[in-house]
Amino acid sequence: MYKRSHTCGQLRKTNVGVTINLNGWVNSVRLHGQVVFVDLRDRYGKTQIVFDADSFSGDFEAVKKLSMEDVLSIQGAVRDRSESAVNPNMVTGEIEVAVTDYIMLNEAAPLPFVLSDRDNAEENLRLKYRYLELRMEELQKNILIRHETYQAVRSYLSGLEFVEIETPVLMKSTPEGARDYLVPSRIHQGKFYALPQSPQIYKQILMIANYDRYFQIVKCFRDEDLRADRQPEFTQIDIEMSFIDEEDIFVHMEGLTRHVFKSIRGIDLPDPFPRLTYADAMETYGSDKPDLRYGMQLQDVKDFTDASDFNVFKSAEKVKGIIIKGGAKYSRKNIDELTDFVKKYKAKGLAWMKWEKGTFIGGISKFFSENLQKAMFEKLSGNDGDILFMIGDDSSIVLNALGHLRVEIAKREALTNKDDFKPVWVTEFPMFEYDKEADRFIAMHHPFTAPRESDIEMLDSDPSNTLSRGYDLTLNGYEIAGGSIRIHSPKVQEKVFSLLGLSREEAVEKFGFLVEALTYGAPPHGGIAFGFDRLVMLLAGTENIRDVIAFPKTTSATSLMDESPNNVSANQLDELGIQIKKSKK
């Protein structure tokens, strides 16, 4: 092998006349009689190299047999391309290398798919041969964005005196949240470690231990049913601070987010970020992670439907609607498709009316008098050519169904620009949700989230309406970070545990070291965790989280490349004292 003197993206006109060595993969081969053109590629770029039978002293017939992804080491002289051959789409497009000698380092087998076009192969096939897909320009760009994001985060937080501290990967299984991944202990048979769903307990312990500014870019694990934007193992930027309140969190985390977007994409995010309470976000957008790149806000129309002759909504707890600009073009087939869509979110149907020449037509318009229609025009700000969609039902169903409909229509109407970023804080989440099946409260965030100071007494009198000091940072319809001010009072923590159905004995058993640590002088503290994979996904401009993870799992939590999870030997199971129980089918 010739030792590399330059990368394949480095040579320019200033290198003309210089003898150089390049190493890389064959990206393309073009045969022109006694001349063979090859684009040689590495992660830095591509360079055109030329084998000319008149000047090349090696085996020219062997050169003609070069194929895609062969690994070459070449030596040659840099020369200008002819004016007609200059390629403005390549940074090395003004030069080429006349090869004097080459070494075949590795001959590639026939490829399972073409590496120049990701769409020519199904994702499962690409994941099976992930090491090939990772050679593609799009994936290499994404992985480099991920690398640069790591560095930007570390640089910014270190500059603010945050200390990077590693927390254990093998820990105690704790309740709440998703299902744990368990790791059996060989030494302590019958006992198990859990892989951390997050370092939540450890970072609170670090605050009690007087490390007032902590961060970690850390792997987390959750054994839950997966969606397209979830992975069983994922990365988060974990952050905790002492002697602070929400405003400190907002200022520093906005600064971090602005720094990352400016460093990676050259984009200036707003200063400060806008804020919405959870209640306002749900009522206005039907989502606690609203996409602010487009309008279509949910509007209350119950007064109008109650005053109409349309009796279906009279008994509904809430009736809301959204106006679709230009939606009068929707055919009955389109409307039926959208009706089926909202039924997936438990809505019984989708009422509609179209605006035409200052009046409503179609749908349920016949149930609305002329005066009622006039009042609706004034309040709802619709125009000719628009359509009004309405849902009436229990409040949670109305908001959830319309929120999803809003997002679906934005996709259909191409209302979003992936290069436009609209961050917003969502604050004042409820402390608890009520689980009817379990007949108890569950934590909206997690059991260490503090209630608002003004609501502490409501933990005794009205826990269902108690608001928390939790907050999420959302961006373009994605939650990219979530956190809260924590409970630092042992008495308040004990009360929250009791509302979650944990006795003091159970709380000590599950969280004993934290419960005890809180009694030794815990400072006021709070923090946040950024979903690192999702953040990089947005920076890279893709909607598939697997595109920004080097070796992702499928939605069934399997790795097609290394075939995990897989069976283990009987000897390994014996060492752990484990027997496999066959599931009943």
Side-chain angles (χ1 to χ4, degrees):
M1 180 181 76
Y2 295 110
K3 191 166 182 66
R4 181 168 64 180
S5 64
H6 296 77
T7 70
C8 293
Q10 192 174 1
L11 297 173
R12 301 290 190 273
K13 286 179 72 70
T14 53
N15 301 110
V16 169
V18 177
T19 298
I20 55 88
N21 302 330
L22 296 179
N23 297 321
W25 284 263
V26 172
N27 191 73
S28 65
V29 181
R30 301 180 299 280
L31 305 179
H32 290 268
Q34 294 301 98
V35 180
V36 177
F37 295 94
V38 174
D39 282 347
L40 198 67
R41 183 194 75 245
D42 61 15
R43 78 171 176 91
Y44 302 96
K46 290 182 287 189
T47 296
Q48 178 171 284
I49 62 174
V50 183
F51 295 87
D52 191 327
D54 293 336
S55 56
F56 179 65
S57 58
D59 184 352
F60 192 73
E61 291 304 311
V63 170
K64 290 181 178 180
K65 296 176 182 178
L66 290 175
S67 59
M68 305 280 277
E69 301 307 306
D70 286 346
V71 187
L72 303 184
S73 182
I74 69 104
Q75 190 171 73
V78 182
R79 68 187 187 190
D80 283 315
R81 291 201 199 191
S82 64
E83 189 173 335
S84 61
V86 168
N87 185 347
N89 298 318
M90 290 174 63
V91 294
T92 60
E94 292 184 301
I95 57 90
E96 61 190 15
V97 177
V99 179
T100 55
D101 196 15
Y102 83 102
I103 301 170
M104 171 69 78
L105 297 177
N106 210 322
E107 190 173 344
L111 299 173
F113 51 84
V114 179
L115 302 192
S116 58
D117 180 11
R118 290 185 75 201
D119 294 332
N120 80 91
E122 293 290 334
E123 185 179 40
N124 281 356
L125 180 63
R126 290 186 275 112
L127 288 175
K128 181 179 179 180
Y129 296 96
R130 185 65 166 184
Y131 46 85
L132 293 178
E133 187 181 24
L134 283 170
R135 294 181 190 174
M136 293 182 173
E137 184 176 354
E138 179 181 342
L139 269 290
Q140 296 226 323
K141 170 178 165 284
N142 292 349
I143 296 301
L144 290 176
I145 286 174
R146 187 182 182 99
H147 161 76
E148 290 164 2
T149 307
Y150 278 129
Q151 309 316 311
V153 168
R154 284 196 164 98
S155 170
Y156 184 85
L157 292 176
S158 297
L160 291 176
E161 298 186 332
F162 282 81
V163 180
E164 185 170 7
I165 305 174
E166 292 178 306
T167 53
V169 174
L170 298 176
M171 63 176 290
K172 183 179 182 178
S173 180
T174 57
E176 302 295 331
R179 189 181 295 110
D180 284 328
Y181 276 103
L182 299 177
V183 180
S185 171
R186 177 185 60 81
I187 297 172
H188 305 283
Q189 285 197 2
K191 295 186 177 181
F192 295 81
Y193 300 102
L195 300 180
Q197 295 185 32
S198 81
Q200 181 62 46
I201 294 176
Y202 289 109
K203 68 181 182 180
Q204 289 193 249
I205 292 289
L206 286 169
M207 295 303 102
I208 297 169
N210 191 25
Y211 294 89
D212 69 317
R213 290 191 173 192
Y214 142 93
F215 85 97
Q216 184 182 190
I217 301 177
V218 61
K219 279 284 189 184
C220 302
F221 307 85
R222 293 180 186 172
D223 186 6
E224 59 186 344
D225 295 332
L226 302 180
R227 300 197 299 254
D229 64 341
R230 282 185 179 172
Q231 287 280 293
E233 55 177 305
F234 58 95
T235 305
Q236 68 182 37
I237 309 166
D238 204 48
I239 296 169
E240 197 79 3
M241 302 166 67
S242 293
F243 304 110
I244 51 88
D245 59 18
E246 291 90 333
E247 293 302 321
D248 297 293
I249 296 286
F250 295 158
V251 167
H252 288 306
M253 296 309 104
E254 289 181 20
L256 171 61
T257 309
R258 280 192 294 271
H259 174 73
V260 167
F261 273 82
K262 185 66 173 178
S263 300
I264 308 305
R265 291 287 305 272
I267 290 171
D268 292 308
L269 295 181
D271 183 8
F273 293 175
R275 302 178 193 177
L276 285 171
T277 66
Y278 171 82
D280 285 343
M282 293 303 298
E283 289 290 339
T284 308
Y285 300 101
S287 173
D288 60 359
K289 44 183 182 292
D291 192 335
L292 304 188
R293 290 176 294 175
Y294 49 91
M296 284 195 294
Q297 296 181 355
L298 279 56
Q299 302 192 57
D300 193 343
V301 293
K302 184 163 175 57
D303 287 347
F304 298 120
T305 58
D306 282 353
S308 75
D309 296 326
F310 187 66
N311 296 323
V312 175
F313 288 161
K314 293 288 174 70
S315 62
E317 177 186 5
K318 188 182 292 291
V319 185
K320 287 218 165 195
I322 54 174
I323 296 170
I324 316 304
K325 299 298 181 185
K329 65 187 176 186
Y330 288 176
S331 66
R332 187 62 202 226
K333 179 184 176 183
N334 298 143
I335 295 171
D336 288 345
E337 288 173 353
L338 294 173
T339 301
D340 290 339
F341 176 83
V342 298
K343 286 180 178 178
K344 293 191 295 185
Y345 301 98
K346 300 183 179 180
K348 297 180 182 69
L350 185 64
W352 59 275
M353 298 186 289
K354 294 180 179 181
W355 258 286
E356 184 178 290
K357 297 179 180 178
T359 188
F360 282 127
I361 63 168
I364 62 172
S365 61
K366 64 183 179 182
F367 298 103
F368 291 76
S369 67
E370 183 178 340
N371 288 337
L372 193 55
Q373 289 189 23
K374 189 177 297 184
M376 292 179 75
F377 296 152
E378 291 177 1
K379 181 179 177 182
L380 301 181
S381 303
N383 293 293
D384 283 351
D386 296 345
I387 190 170
L388 170 65
F389 285 123
M390 293 168 285
I391 294 176
D393 212 309
D394 292 344
S395 180
S396 60
I397 292 175
V398 170
L399 298 179
N400 187 45
L402 279 177
H404 281 92
L405 179 64
R406 177 177 178 270
V407 173
E408 175 66 16
I409 290 173
K411 289 179 181 177
R412 293 185 178 214
E413 298 293 330
L415 299 180
T416 60
N417 176 358
K418 68 180 181 179
D419 294 321
D420 183 21
F421 296 96
K422 301 286 188 183
V424 57
W425 288 104
V426 179
T427 66
E428 297 186 8
F429 283 80
M431 274 287 288
F432 308 105
E433 294 176 290
Y434 194 75
D435 187 329
K436 292 181 180 179
E437 291 184 10
D439 191 27
R440 67 176 180 88
F441 289 112
I442 58 175
M444 188 87 162
H445 265 77
H446 55 60
F448 313 109
T449 297
R452 291 193 310 178
E453 292 185 9
S454 59
D455 289 5
I456 289 177
E457 292 183 1
M458 291 175 63
L459 292 174
D460 289 314
S461 61
D462 192 9
S464 60
N465 287 315
T466 304
L467 297 181
S468 77
R469 298 178 73 179
Y471 36 78
D472 284 351
L473 178 56
T474 74
L475 184 68
N476 293 3
Y478 292 95
E479 177 195 332
I480 63 167
S484 66
I485 302 300
R486 320 303 185 190
I487 298 169
H488 68 280
S489 161
K491 289 184 178 180
V492 175
Q493 186 65 77
E494 186 175 335
K495 178 62 182 178
V496 170
F497 280 148
S498 71
L499 288 168
L500 297 174
L502 286 172
S503 67
R504 177 170 176 77
E505 291 72 23
E506 289 172 321
V508 169
E509 179 188 349
K510 296 295 186 182
F511 306 108
F513 56 104
L514 177 58
V515 173
E516 184 177 14
L518 287 172
T519 68
Y520 288 102
H525 60 285
I528 197 166
F530 284 77
F532 187 78
D533 307 301
R534 194 170 291 163
L535 178 62
V536 176
M537 182 184 80
L538 290 167
L539 288 165
T542 177
E543 295 183 350
N544 188 341
I545 205 164
R546 291 184 289 276
D547 285 352
V548 298
I549 300 171
F551 301 105
K553 303 290 192 295
T554 66
T555 50
S556 59
T558 60
S559 172
L560 300 178
M561 188 184 75
D562 62 19
E563 298 181 334
S564 64
N566 211 328
N567 298 320
V568 297
S569 69
N571 287 341
Q572 288 174 287
L573 293 175
D574 287 341
E575 285 181 333
L576 296 167
I578 290 176
Q579 286 184 320
I580 302 297
K581 181 180 178 181
K582 292 185 178 179
S583 60
K584 296 178 182 179
K585 292 185 179 180

